[in-house]
Amino acid sequence: ANHLFKTVRAVELLGTAAIITGIRPAIAQTVVSLGIDTTLLKTKARLVDGLRLALQMTGRMVVDAPGGKGHQQQNPAGGAP
């Protein structure tokens, strides 16, 4: 766990931000027991949430593509098919 946070700090020294996703409970407990300061650390439970945060930080966002999963097509009458 300590190596992970040292890597995050090194990345920040290069002028970028790190987002950590999917930390297991055992790793989280180790971080707490080591007394690592996580106040400035960006963490998300799921990879998809981490990707959304990364895009948001750069002024972008995820949208459904027409015809993609979760996209409803409109029928000629204006309602959902």
Side-chain angles (χ1 to χ4, degrees):
N2 199 28
H3 294 291
L4 177 63
F5 290 98
K6 284 183 179 180
T7 302
V8 168
R9 297 294 178 228
V11 166
E12 290 171 347
L13 288 173
L14 296 173
T16 63
I19 302 168
I20 298 178
T21 62
I23 292 184
R24 296 186 318 260
I27 299 296
Q29 289 174 347
T30 301
V31 168
V32 170
S33 69
L34 290 173
I36 296 173
D37 179 19
T38 60
T39 55
L40 299 177
L41 189 61
K42 294 170 185 62
T43 61
K44 292 294 179 183
R46 301 179 313 154
L47 178 60
V48 67
D49 297 326
L51 291 172
R52 285 185 197 278
L53 176 60
L55 290 170
Q56 187 179 52
M57 290 169 63
T58 61
R60 294 175 173 88
M61 60 189 263
V62 176
V63 296
D64 287 331
K69 183 178 178 183
H71 181 78
Q72 291 186 337
Q73 295 180 344
Q74 296 288 322
N75 68 18

